[in-house]
Amino acid sequence: MFFCDYLRFSLKGIFSKKSRFFLTVLSIFVGVISVIVISAIGSSGQNAISGELEGLGLNGASIKSKRYNITSSDVEKVKDYLGGGYYVSSMSKELASVKYNGKDTNVFLCGGEPDALNILNMKVIYGRGIRDKDIEKSKNNMILSKSSAGKIFGEENCIGKKAKIHTPFGSGEYTVVGVVDNSSIYDMVGDSIPPFIYIPSNNFSSLFGGRFLGEISVVGKGEEDVCEASERAIAYLEKDKPSKNIFYYENMNSYKKSISNVIDIITLIITLVGAVSLIVGGISVMNTMLISVSERKREIGIKKAIGSTNLSIMLEFLIEALIIVLISCILGIAAGILISYLLMNSYGISLVIDVKSLLLSVFFTVFIGGIFGIYPAYKASRLSPVESLKN
């Protein structure tokens, strides 16, 4: 027989019992959906978290010191030394409070230079960012995220509004000159953490009694190696210092990779749990095929009597099992992608489909169908023509 003959007989056998065919497809269909949805959630979540971590500055390196107070002069030295291929800014963070219309709000106060917005992956939606003149003249200007603007001022576009910032060491009235949208993690968690406000580094130092800057963040504008750049910058800073090993750097990307690895492991474990349902579906296919073999003994006996070989009978039933699995797989993938899209869209996350995981799901499903379809096909091929016709 030709392949089209095998296909024709297989389809005839499948659709002779439509309700049973539907239930068998459903068992595999549910398993495929679970694997696709879990894989998509893992990939999309990892991509979203990676973007959010970049928005917190975890895509570069931080130069720090435990026994030396970093100054704005050090920041300028690093920036001039590394050149235009890198974003360089000090990063200082402390708790403070903001008073507006008689209401006090606890905030995270952050100090930095103009490159801070690029390092934190922020986009200005109203007004502007920090400028060099803000640093030079120590202007009382502040920038905040749109969610922070809503919490403090009751509206996103609050350009020109003034509020008083209080710290244990001093206070001052600051004017909003910019509102940014970085869709970051702290914008997603609502009231769980205080709003973030960004001010020039000089002002930050003044508000905290002349405190020195916390660290120097370095982020490449392209594919630059920030670790190698940080090592060079540290050697340059220590050149004029009386001793060495004053500075050290932390590769912030390592934190992002660690989080990604954890997500990968969790996704893998949940996917394996979902794959169990595919095995259960495979058992359902085997059960269906065994029933089909039992019901079609007479048909098998007639085919053998007129010359069909054991191999041709075996192929017919094996193709029948594979068709059931393939139909289930195609429908499951389509439904899984649709469900994943709806889930991700409801949370405002871009859907990411891992093609490798998709192909692996197809292969695993077909493999399961083949494994559990072999025994019924083999049993059908070994039936005796005489016994089959008697039955």
Side-chain angles (χ1 to χ4, degrees):
M1 287 196 298
F2 294 105
F3 178 75
C4 58
D5 295 318
Y6 289 120
L7 189 61
R8 180 165 54 85
F9 285 125
S10 298
L11 290 172
K12 183 180 177 182
I14 288 172
F15 291 109
S16 63
K17 302 288 183 179
K18 293 182 178 64
S19 58
R20 189 166 63 201
F21 163 69
F22 172 76
L23 292 173
T24 307
V25 166
L26 189 63
S27 64
I28 297 286
F29 173 77
V30 172
V32 174
I33 285 179
S34 63
V35 172
I36 296 298
V37 170
I38 291 167
S39 174
I41 289 174
S43 300
S44 302
Q46 188 176 58
N47 184 66
I49 290 173
S50 179
E52 301 301 345
L53 293 178
E54 286 184 10
L56 293 176
L58 295 187
N59 60 332
S62 291
I63 298 173
K64 303 180 179 181
S65 178
K66 291 181 179 178
R67 53 193 180 95
Y68 173 81
N69 295 315
I70 294 173
T71 64
S72 57
S73 174
D74 296 321
V75 178
E76 288 302 314
K77 283 181 181 179
V78 172
K79 189 168 185 177
D80 292 339
Y81 176 72
L82 293 180
Y86 297 86
Y87 294 119
V88 178
S89 174
S90 64
M91 285 289 171
S92 306
K93 304 178 185 71
E94 284 291 348
L95 283 171
S97 66
V98 171
K99 188 171 186 177
Y100 178 74
N101 278 350
K103 178 185 175 184
D104 285 318
T105 304
N106 292 325
V107 299
F108 274 122
L109 194 62
C110 308
E113 281 75 36
D115 280 351
L117 297 185
N118 294 314
I119 289 173
L120 295 172
N121 198 28
M122 296 181 185
K123 295 178 181 178
V124 177
I125 54 176
Y126 303 110
R128 62 175 177 84
I130 297 173
R131 292 176 178 171
D132 289 324
K133 286 185 178 180
D134 295 329
I135 306 291
E136 293 168 8
K137 298 183 179 181
S138 297
K139 290 186 175 180
N140 285 9
N141 292 332
M142 64 177 173
I143 295 163
L144 60 169
S145 66
K146 64 178 183 180
S147 64
S148 300
K151 291 176 184 177
I152 297 170
F153 298 102
E155 58 180 320
E156 288 183 7
N157 189 356
C158 54
I159 301 299
K161 291 194 174 183
K162 299 178 185 293
K164 199 163 188 179
I165 297 177
H166 296 271
T167 75
F169 303 95
S171 62
E173 189 175 59
Y174 281 72
T175 304
V176 179
V177 296
V179 177
V180 295
D181 178 18
N182 58 343
S183 299
S184 58
I185 291 172
Y186 49 75
D187 276 340
M188 297 172 66
V189 294
D191 298 325
S192 301
I193 58 175
F196 277 66
I197 291 180
Y198 307 89
I199 62 174
S201 55
N202 291 358
N203 298 67
F204 180 91
S205 182
S206 298
L207 282 173
F208 286 92
R211 171 185 163 159
F212 292 98
L213 307 179
E215 60 192 56
I216 303 173
S217 290
V218 179
V219 172
K221 294 181 179 179
E223 298 298 323
E224 292 84 355
D225 187 344
V226 292
C227 295
E228 186 271 337
S230 298
E231 288 177 355
R232 289 192 289 111
I234 288 172
Y236 179 72
L237 287 174
E238 292 180 344
K239 185 174 64 174
D240 299 326
K241 298 290 186 290
S243 60
K244 303 299 178 185
N245 300 321
I246 298 173
F247 299 95
Y248 67 96
Y249 76 91
E250 289 184 356
N251 179 9
M252 307 308 286
N253 266 317
S254 62
Y255 297 113
K256 190 168 73 172
K257 288 178 181 177
S258 298
I259 294 171
S260 295
N261 290 337
V262 171
I263 294 172
D264 283 339
I265 292 170
I266 294 172
T267 303
L268 177 61
I269 292 171
I270 299 174
T271 302
L272 290 176
V273 172
V276 171
S277 60
L278 283 178
I279 296 175
V280 173
I283 294 172
S284 176
V285 170
M286 183 170 67
N287 183 56
T288 298
M289 295 308 299
L290 285 172
I291 294 171
S292 181
V293 169
S294 178
E295 290 176 345
R296 292 158 61 187
K297 282 184 178 181
R298 185 173 180 80
E299 177 190 328
I300 294 168
I302 293 172
K303 286 180 179 179
K304 283 197 168 187
I306 60 176
S308 291
T309 63
N310 288 350
L311 180 60
S312 64
I313 297 295
M314 184 174 179
L315 285 174
E316 180 184 331
F317 280 88
L318 185 58
I319 290 172
E320 189 173 321
L322 290 175
I323 289 173
I324 293 173
V325 171
L326 282 172
I327 291 173
S328 306
C329 190
I330 293 169
L331 294 175
I333 288 172
I337 292 174
L338 178 61
I339 292 171
S340 301
Y341 172 77
L342 294 174
L343 282 173
M344 295 299 100
N345 191 55
S346 65
Y347 287 98
I349 299 173
S350 299
L351 176 63
V352 176
I353 299 294
D354 187 349
V355 178
K356 289 183 180 178
S357 298
L358 197 66
L359 294 175
L360 186 62
S361 300
V362 174
F363 173 78
F364 185 71
T365 306
V366 174
F367 177 75
I368 289 292
I371 290 296
F372 285 98
I374 285 175
Y375 175 68
Y378 175 77
K379 187 175 180 180
S381 69
R382 304 306 297 176
L383 287 174
S384 166
V386 175
E387 292 298 323
S388 299
L389 287 172
K390 280 182 180 179
N391 179 271

PDB file of all heavy atoms in Angstrom, residues 251-286:
ATOM      1  N   ASN A 251      29.553  43.538  39.576  1.00  0.00           N
ATOM      2  CA  ASN A 251      28.903  43.335  38.278  1.00  0.00           C
ATOM      3  C   ASN A 251      27.420  43.117  38.520  1.00  0.00           C
ATOM      4  O   ASN A 251      27.001  42.042  38.945  1.00  0.00           O
ATOM      5  CB  ASN A 251      29.527  42.130  37.559  1.00  0.00           C
ATOM      6  CG  ASN A 251      28.878  41.865  36.210  1.00  0.00           C
ATOM      7  OD1 ASN A 251      28.078  42.670  35.732  1.00  0.00           O
ATOM      8  ND2 ASN A 251      29.221  40.754  35.605  1.00  0.00           N
ATOM      9  N   MET A 252      26.618  44.134  38.252  1.00  0.00           N
ATOM     10  CA  MET A 252      25.189  44.055  38.532  1.00  0.00           C
ATOM     11  C   MET A 252      24.481  43.047  37.636  1.00  0.00           C
ATOM     12  O   MET A 252      23.410  42.546  37.963  1.00  0.00           O
ATOM     13  CB  MET A 252      24.545  45.437  38.385  1.00  0.00           C
ATOM     14  CG  MET A 252      25.236  46.526  39.200  1.00  0.00           C
ATOM     15  SD  MET A 252      25.448  46.096  40.945  1.00  0.00           S
ATOM     16  CE  MET A 252      23.799  46.263  41.558  1.00  0.00           C
ATOM     17  N   ASN A 253      25.091  42.747  36.473  1.00  0.00           N
ATOM     18  CA  ASN A 253      24.501  41.754  35.574  1.00  0.00           C
ATOM     19  C   ASN A 253      24.440  40.376  36.214  1.00  0.00           C
ATOM     20  O   ASN A 253      23.608  39.543  35.855  1.00  0.00           O
ATOM     21  CB  ASN A 253      25.309  41.669  34.273  1.00  0.00           C
ATOM     22  CG  ASN A 253      24.732  42.570  33.198  1.00  0.00           C
ATOM     23  OD1 ASN A 253      23.522  42.621  33.014  1.00  0.00           O
ATOM     24  ND2 ASN A 253      25.574  43.293  32.505  1.00  0.00           N
ATOM     25  N   SER A 254      25.378  40.127  37.149  1.00  0.00           N
ATOM     26  CA  SER A 254      25.398  38.812  37.807  1.00  0.00           C
ATOM     27  C   SER A 254      24.122  38.594  38.615  1.00  0.00           C
ATOM     28  O   SER A 254      23.613  37.482  38.701  1.00  0.00           O
ATOM     29  CB  SER A 254      26.630  38.694  38.716  1.00  0.00           C
ATOM     30  OG  SER A 254      26.585  39.670  39.743  1.00  0.00           O
ATOM     31  N   TYR A 255      23.579  39.674  39.205  1.00  0.00           N
ATOM     32  CA  TYR A 255      22.324  39.560  39.945  1.00  0.00           C
ATOM     33  C   TYR A 255      21.179  39.233  38.991  1.00  0.00           C
ATOM     34  O   TYR A 255      20.310  38.425  39.296  1.00  0.00           O
ATOM     35  CB  TYR A 255      22.029  40.862  40.687  1.00  0.00           C
ATOM     36  CG  TYR A 255      23.054  41.205  41.744  1.00  0.00           C
ATOM     37  CD1 TYR A 255      23.889  42.308  41.604  1.00  0.00           C
ATOM     38  CD2 TYR A 255      23.177  40.436  42.893  1.00  0.00           C
ATOM     39  CE1 TYR A 255      24.831  42.622  42.573  1.00  0.00           C
ATOM     40  CE2 TYR A 255      24.114  40.747  43.867  1.00  0.00           C
ATOM     41  CZ  TYR A 255      24.935  41.836  43.700  1.00  0.00           C
ATOM     42  OH  TYR A 255      25.864  42.137  44.658  1.00  0.00           O
ATOM     43  N   LYS A 256      21.220  39.903  37.834  1.00  0.00           N
ATOM     44  CA  LYS A 256      20.160  39.664  36.844  1.00  0.00           C
ATOM     45  C   LYS A 256      20.214  38.225  36.345  1.00  0.00           C
ATOM     46  O   LYS A 256      19.178  37.573  36.177  1.00  0.00           O
ATOM     47  CB  LYS A 256      20.325  40.643  35.682  1.00  0.00           C
ATOM     48  CG  LYS A 256      19.164  40.657  34.712  1.00  0.00           C
ATOM     49  CD  LYS A 256      19.250  41.829  33.751  1.00  0.00           C
ATOM     50  CE  LYS A 256      20.331  41.642  32.733  1.00  0.00           C
ATOM     51  NZ  LYS A 256      20.302  42.675  31.687  1.00  0.00           N
ATOM     52  N   LYS A 257      21.440  37.708  36.114  1.00  0.00           N
ATOM     53  CA  LYS A 257      21.591  36.332  35.646  1.00  0.00           C
ATOM     54  C   LYS A 257      21.125  35.337  36.709  1.00  0.00           C
ATOM     55  O   LYS A 257      20.523  34.312  36.388  1.00  0.00           O
ATOM     56  CB  LYS A 257      23.048  36.062  35.265  1.00  0.00           C
ATOM     57  CG  LYS A 257      23.483  36.761  33.981  1.00  0.00           C
ATOM     58  CD  LYS A 257      24.939  36.503  33.677  1.00  0.00           C
ATOM     59  CE  LYS A 257      25.366  37.223  32.390  1.00  0.00           C
ATOM     60  NZ  LYS A 257      26.812  37.040  32.121  1.00  0.00           N
ATOM     61  N   SER A 258      21.412  35.648  37.971  1.00  0.00           N
ATOM     62  CA  SER A 258      20.993  34.755  39.059  1.00  0.00           C
ATOM     63  C   SER A 258      19.474  34.662  39.125  1.00  0.00           C
ATOM     64  O   SER A 258      18.911  33.578  39.278  1.00  0.00           O
ATOM     65  CB  SER A 258      21.538  35.267  40.399  1.00  0.00           C
ATOM     66  OG  SER A 258      22.941  35.269  40.403  1.00  0.00           O
ATOM     67  N   ILE A 259      18.814  35.816  38.988  1.00  0.00           N
ATOM     68  CA  ILE A 259      17.350  35.840  39.009  1.00  0.00           C
ATOM     69  C   ILE A 259      16.793  35.077  37.811  1.00  0.00           C
ATOM     70  O   ILE A 259      15.837  34.311  37.929  1.00  0.00           O
ATOM     71  CB  ILE A 259      16.830  37.292  39.029  1.00  0.00           C
ATOM     72  CG1 ILE A 259      17.223  37.954  40.347  1.00  0.00           C
ATOM     73  CG2 ILE A 259      15.316  37.337  38.840  1.00  0.00           C
ATOM     74  CD1 ILE A 259      16.950  39.441  40.400  1.00  0.00           C
ATOM     75  N   SER A 260      17.426  35.274  36.632  1.00  0.00           N
ATOM     76  CA  SER A 260      16.984  34.565  35.423  1.00  0.00           C
ATOM     77  C   SER A 260      17.136  33.062  35.583  1.00  0.00           C
ATOM     78  O   SER A 260      16.280  32.288  35.143  1.00  0.00           O
ATOM     79  CB  SER A 260      17.786  35.048  34.207  1.00  0.00           C
ATOM     80  OG  SER A 260      17.534  36.404  33.936  1.00  0.00           O
ATOM     81  N   ASN A 261      18.234  32.630  36.224  1.00  0.00           N
ATOM     82  CA  ASN A 261      18.460  31.196  36.451  1.00  0.00           C
ATOM     83  C   ASN A 261      17.396  30.610  37.367  1.00  0.00           C
ATOM     84  O   ASN A 261      16.921  29.490  37.150  1.00  0.00           O
ATOM     85  CB  ASN A 261      19.849  30.968  37.048  1.00  0.00           C
ATOM     86  CG  ASN A 261      20.963  31.227  36.058  1.00  0.00           C
ATOM     87  OD1 ASN A 261      20.754  31.174  34.838  1.00  0.00           O
ATOM     88  ND2 ASN A 261      22.148  31.528  36.544  1.00  0.00           N
ATOM     89  N   VAL A 262      17.020  31.372  38.393  1.00  0.00           N
ATOM     90  CA  VAL A 262      15.975  30.909  39.312  1.00  0.00           C
ATOM     91  C   VAL A 262      14.656  30.745  38.568  1.00  0.00           C
ATOM     92  O   VAL A 262      13.933  29.747  38.734  1.00  0.00           O
ATOM     93  CB  VAL A 262      15.817  31.899  40.488  1.00  0.00           C
ATOM     94  CG1 VAL A 262      14.581  31.537  41.324  1.00  0.00           C
ATOM     95  CG2 VAL A 262      17.056  31.884  41.365  1.00  0.00           C
ATOM     96  N   ILE A 263      14.343  31.743  37.713  1.00  0.00           N
ATOM     97  CA  ILE A 263      13.101  31.678  36.925  1.00  0.00           C
ATOM     98  C   ILE A 263      13.134  30.473  35.995  1.00  0.00           C
ATOM     99  O   ILE A 263      12.129  29.767  35.829  1.00  0.00           O
ATOM    100  CB  ILE A 263      12.899  32.978  36.126  1.00  0.00           C
ATOM    101  CG1 ILE A 263      12.674  34.154  37.079  1.00  0.00           C
ATOM    102  CG2 ILE A 263      11.695  32.855  35.182  1.00  0.00           C
ATOM    103  CD1 ILE A 263      12.665  35.499  36.398  1.00  0.00           C
ATOM    104  N   ASP A 264      14.294  30.212  35.375  1.00  0.00           N
ATOM    105  CA  ASP A 264      14.434  29.057  34.470  1.00  0.00           C
ATOM    106  C   ASP A 264      14.158  27.752  35.209  1.00  0.00           C
ATOM    107  O   ASP A 264      13.479  26.862  34.688  1.00  0.00           O
ATOM    108  CB  ASP A 264      15.843  29.028  33.866  1.00  0.00           C
ATOM    109  CG  ASP A 264      16.021  30.046  32.759  1.00  0.00           C
ATOM    110  OD1 ASP A 264      15.003  30.480  32.187  1.00  0.00           O
ATOM    111  OD2 ASP A 264      17.173  30.418  32.469  1.00  0.00           O
ATOM    112  N   ILE A 265      14.717  27.629  36.413  1.00  0.00           N
ATOM    113  CA  ILE A 265      14.549  26.395  37.192  1.00  0.00           C
ATOM    114  C   ILE A 265      13.078  26.203  37.578  1.00  0.00           C
ATOM    115  O   ILE A 265      12.521  25.109  37.447  1.00  0.00           O
ATOM    116  CB  ILE A 265      15.438  26.433  38.459  1.00  0.00           C
ATOM    117  CG1 ILE A 265      16.918  26.373  38.051  1.00  0.00           C
ATOM    118  CG2 ILE A 265      15.093  25.276  39.391  1.00  0.00           C
ATOM    119  CD1 ILE A 265      17.880  26.652  39.187  1.00  0.00           C
ATOM    120  N   ILE A 266      12.440  27.290  38.049  1.00  0.00           N
ATOM    121  CA  ILE A 266      11.027  27.209  38.437  1.00  0.00           C
ATOM    122  C   ILE A 266      10.163  26.838  37.235  1.00  0.00           C
ATOM    123  O   ILE A 266       9.279  25.975  37.322  1.00  0.00           O
ATOM    124  CB  ILE A 266      10.561  28.549  39.047  1.00  0.00           C
ATOM    125  CG1 ILE A 266      11.281  28.801  40.377  1.00  0.00           C
ATOM    126  CG2 ILE A 266       9.034  28.548  39.256  1.00  0.00           C
ATOM    127  CD1 ILE A 266      11.038  30.175  40.951  1.00  0.00           C
ATOM    128  N   THR A 267      10.433  27.484  36.082  1.00  0.00           N
ATOM    129  CA  THR A 267       9.675  27.194  34.859  1.00  0.00           C
ATOM    130  C   THR A 267       9.857  25.741  34.441  1.00  0.00           C
ATOM    131  O   THR A 267       8.896  25.071  34.037  1.00  0.00           O
ATOM    132  CB  THR A 267      10.122  28.121  33.709  1.00  0.00           C
ATOM    133  OG1 THR A 267       9.959  29.485  34.114  1.00  0.00           O
ATOM    134  CG2 THR A 267       9.301  27.877  32.451  1.00  0.00           C
ATOM    135  N   LEU A 268      11.102  25.245  34.536  1.00  0.00           N
ATOM    136  CA  LEU A 268      11.385  23.857  34.156  1.00  0.00           C
ATOM    137  C   LEU A 268      10.622  22.882  35.034  1.00  0.00           C
ATOM    138  O   LEU A 268      10.016  21.922  34.538  1.00  0.00           O
ATOM    139  CB  LEU A 268      12.891  23.587  34.253  1.00  0.00           C
ATOM    140  CG  LEU A 268      13.347  22.155  33.955  1.00  0.00           C
ATOM    141  CD1 LEU A 268      12.987  21.765  32.523  1.00  0.00           C
ATOM    142  CD2 LEU A 268      14.834  21.990  34.204  1.00  0.00           C
ATOM    143  N   ILE A 269      10.630  23.129  36.351  1.00  0.00           N
ATOM    144  CA  ILE A 269       9.945  22.225  37.287  1.00  0.00           C
ATOM    145  C   ILE A 269       8.442  22.189  37.000  1.00  0.00           C
ATOM    146  O   ILE A 269       7.830  21.119  36.918  1.00  0.00           O
ATOM    147  CB  ILE A 269      10.206  22.660  38.744  1.00  0.00           C
ATOM    148  CG1 ILE A 269      11.685  22.439  39.094  1.00  0.00           C
ATOM    149  CG2 ILE A 269       9.308  21.887  39.709  1.00  0.00           C
ATOM    150  CD1 ILE A 269      12.097  23.034  40.422  1.00  0.00           C
ATOM    151  N   ILE A 270       7.852  23.388  36.811  1.00  0.00           N
ATOM    152  CA  ILE A 270       6.410  23.457  36.545  1.00  0.00           C
ATOM    153  C   ILE A 270       6.086  22.822  35.187  1.00  0.00           C
ATOM    154  O   ILE A 270       5.053  22.158  35.026  1.00  0.00           O
ATOM    155  CB  ILE A 270       5.916  24.917  36.591  1.00  0.00           C
ATOM    156  CG1 ILE A 270       6.169  25.504  37.977  1.00  0.00           C
ATOM    157  CG2 ILE A 270       4.422  24.995  36.276  1.00  0.00           C
ATOM    158  CD1 ILE A 270       5.850  26.977  38.086  1.00  0.00           C
ATOM    159  N   THR A 271       6.977  23.024  34.201  1.00  0.00           N
ATOM    160  CA  THR A 271       6.769  22.426  32.876  1.00  0.00           C
ATOM    161  C   THR A 271       6.784  20.902  32.959  1.00  0.00           C
ATOM    162  O   THR A 271       5.994  20.218  32.303  1.00  0.00           O
ATOM    163  CB  THR A 271       7.835  22.904  31.883  1.00  0.00           C
ATOM    164  OG1 THR A 271       7.797  24.334  31.799  1.00  0.00           O
ATOM    165  CG2 THR A 271       7.591  22.333  30.494  1.00  0.00           C
ATOM    166  N   LEU A 272       7.703  20.365  33.764  1.00  0.00           N
ATOM    167  CA  LEU A 272       7.782  18.906  33.936  1.00  0.00           C
ATOM    168  C   LEU A 272       6.504  18.371  34.575  1.00  0.00           C
ATOM    169  O   LEU A 272       6.030  17.291  34.220  1.00  0.00           O
ATOM    170  CB  LEU A 272       8.997  18.540  34.785  1.00  0.00           C
ATOM    171  CG  LEU A 272      10.364  18.752  34.118  1.00  0.00           C
ATOM    172  CD1 LEU A 272      11.495  18.453  35.099  1.00  0.00           C
ATOM    173  CD2 LEU A 272      10.509  17.877  32.871  1.00  0.00           C
ATOM    174  N   VAL A 273       5.964  19.150  35.519  1.00  0.00           N
ATOM    175  CA  VAL A 273       4.690  18.753  36.129  1.00  0.00           C
ATOM    176  C   VAL A 273       3.592  18.748  35.068  1.00  0.00           C
ATOM    177  O   VAL A 273       2.756  17.837  35.003  1.00  0.00           O
ATOM    178  CB  VAL A 273       4.323  19.714  37.284  1.00  0.00           C
ATOM    179  CG1 VAL A 273       2.914  19.416  37.796  1.00  0.00           C
ATOM    180  CG2 VAL A 273       5.326  19.597  38.422  1.00  0.00           C
ATOM    181  N   GLY A 274       3.607  19.791  34.198  1.00  0.00           N
ATOM    182  CA  GLY A 274       2.639  19.855  33.107  1.00  0.00           C
ATOM    183  C   GLY A 274       2.811  18.720  32.120  1.00  0.00           C
ATOM    184  O   GLY A 274       1.830  18.228  31.534  1.00  0.00           O
ATOM    185  N   ALA A 275       4.081  18.280  31.928  1.00  0.00           N
ATOM    186  CA  ALA A 275       4.347  17.201  30.981  1.00  0.00           C
ATOM    187  C   ALA A 275       3.751  15.873  31.441  1.00  0.00           C
ATOM    188  O   ALA A 275       3.504  14.978  30.624  1.00  0.00           O
ATOM    189  CB  ALA A 275       5.858  17.046  30.781  1.00  0.00           C
ATOM    190  N   VAL A 276       3.523  15.754  32.751  1.00  0.00           N
ATOM    191  CA  VAL A 276       2.905  14.535  33.277  1.00  0.00           C
ATOM    192  C   VAL A 276       1.521  14.343  32.650  1.00  0.00           C
ATOM    193  O   VAL A 276       1.103  13.213  32.351  1.00  0.00           O
ATOM    194  CB  VAL A 276       2.805  14.599  34.822  1.00  0.00           C
ATOM    195  CG1 VAL A 276       1.980  13.439  35.356  1.00  0.00           C
ATOM    196  CG2 VAL A 276       4.186  14.603  35.439  1.00  0.00           C
ATOM    197  N   SER A 277       0.829  15.467  32.432  1.00  0.00           N
ATOM    198  CA  SER A 277      -0.505  15.374  31.826  1.00  0.00           C
ATOM    199  C   SER A 277      -0.417  14.857  30.393  1.00  0.00           C
ATOM    200  O   SER A 277      -1.354  14.217  29.897  1.00  0.00           O
ATOM    201  CB  SER A 277      -1.206  16.736  31.854  1.00  0.00           C
ATOM    202  OG  SER A 277      -0.464  17.700  31.138  1.00  0.00           O
ATOM    203  N   LEU A 278       0.705  15.116  29.719  1.00  0.00           N
ATOM    204  CA  LEU A 278       0.904  14.568  28.373  1.00  0.00           C
ATOM    205  C   LEU A 278       1.052  13.050  28.431  1.00  0.00           C
ATOM    206  O   LEU A 278       0.561  12.331  27.554  1.00  0.00           O
ATOM    207  CB  LEU A 278       2.141  15.182  27.722  1.00  0.00           C
ATOM    208  CG  LEU A 278       2.009  16.611  27.177  1.00  0.00           C
ATOM    209  CD1 LEU A 278       3.342  17.074  26.610  1.00  0.00           C
ATOM    210  CD2 LEU A 278       0.943  16.680  26.100  1.00  0.00           C
ATOM    211  N   ILE A 279       1.750  12.574  29.453  1.00  0.00           N
ATOM    212  CA  ILE A 279       1.913  11.115  29.612  1.00  0.00           C
ATOM    213  C   ILE A 279       0.557  10.469  29.888  1.00  0.00           C
ATOM    214  O   ILE A 279       0.238   9.403  29.356  1.00  0.00           O
ATOM    215  CB  ILE A 279       2.909  10.818  30.750  1.00  0.00           C
ATOM    216  CG1 ILE A 279       4.300  11.363  30.373  1.00  0.00           C
ATOM    217  CG2 ILE A 279       2.976   9.324  31.034  1.00  0.00           C
ATOM    218  CD1 ILE A 279       5.339  11.240  31.466  1.00  0.00           C
ATOM    219  N   VAL A 280      -0.243  11.132  30.727  1.00  0.00           N
ATOM    220  CA  VAL A 280      -1.595  10.626  30.999  1.00  0.00           C
ATOM    221  C   VAL A 280      -2.397  10.598  29.707  1.00  0.00           C
ATOM    222  O   VAL A 280      -3.141   9.644  29.431  1.00  0.00           O
ATOM    223  CB  VAL A 280      -2.305  11.513  32.049  1.00  0.00           C
ATOM    224  CG1 VAL A 280      -3.758  11.094  32.216  1.00  0.00           C
ATOM    225  CG2 VAL A 280      -1.576  11.436  33.389  1.00  0.00           C
ATOM    226  N   GLY A 281      -2.243  11.645  28.878  1.00  0.00           N
ATOM    227  CA  GLY A 281      -2.916  11.678  27.579  1.00  0.00           C
ATOM    228  C   GLY A 281      -2.436  10.556  26.671  1.00  0.00           C
ATOM    229  O   GLY A 281      -3.220   9.963  25.923  1.00  0.00           O
ATOM    230  N   GLY A 282      -1.123  10.249  26.745  1.00  0.00           N
ATOM    231  CA  GLY A 282      -0.573   9.153  25.950  1.00  0.00           C
ATOM    232  C   GLY A 282      -1.175   7.818  26.344  1.00  0.00           C
ATOM    233  O   GLY A 282      -1.464   6.969  25.488  1.00  0.00           O
ATOM    234  N   ILE A 283      -1.387   7.631  27.649  1.00  0.00           N
ATOM    235  CA  ILE A 283      -2.029   6.397  28.126  1.00  0.00           C
ATOM    236  C   ILE A 283      -3.458   6.324  27.593  1.00  0.00           C
ATOM    237  O   ILE A 283      -3.944   5.246  27.223  1.00  0.00           O
ATOM    238  CB  ILE A 283      -2.019   6.357  29.671  1.00  0.00           C
ATOM    239  CG1 ILE A 283      -0.576   6.256  30.180  1.00  0.00           C
ATOM    240  CG2 ILE A 283      -2.848   5.194  30.191  1.00  0.00           C
ATOM    241  CD1 ILE A 283      -0.433   6.409  31.679  1.00  0.00           C
ATOM    242  N   SER A 284      -4.124   7.480  27.530  1.00  0.00           N
ATOM    243  CA  SER A 284      -5.488   7.526  26.987  1.00  0.00           C
ATOM    244  C   SER A 284      -5.490   7.118  25.511  1.00  0.00           C
ATOM    245  O   SER A 284      -6.397   6.403  25.056  1.00  0.00           O
ATOM    246  CB  SER A 284      -6.058   8.935  27.150  1.00  0.00           C
ATOM    247  OG  SER A 284      -7.326   9.038  26.561  1.00  0.00           O
ATOM    248  N   VAL A 285      -4.455   7.572  24.768  1.00  0.00           N
ATOM    249  CA  VAL A 285      -4.337   7.185  23.348  1.00  0.00           C
ATOM    250  C   VAL A 285      -4.166   5.678  23.232  1.00  0.00           C
ATOM    251  O   VAL A 285      -4.805   5.026  22.390  1.00  0.00           O
ATOM    252  CB  VAL A 285      -3.152   7.918  22.687  1.00  0.00           C
ATOM    253  CG1 VAL A 285      -2.878   7.353  21.298  1.00  0.00           C
ATOM    254  CG2 VAL A 285      -3.434   9.415  22.584  1.00  0.00           C
ATOM    255  N   MET A 286      -3.301   5.110  24.070  1.00  0.00           N
ATOM    256  CA  MET A 286      -3.066   3.663  24.023  1.00  0.00           C
ATOM    257  C   MET A 286      -4.345   2.896  24.342  1.00  0.00           C
ATOM    258  O   MET A 286      -4.665   1.901  23.669  1.00  0.00           O
ATOM    259  CB  MET A 286      -1.964   3.270  25.015  1.00  0.00           C
ATOM    260  CG  MET A 286      -1.617   1.777  24.977  1.00  0.00           C
ATOM    261  SD  MET A 286      -0.142   1.353  25.919  1.00  0.00           S
ATOM    262  CE  MET A 286      -0.707   1.685  27.578  1.00  0.00           C
TER     263      MET A 286
END
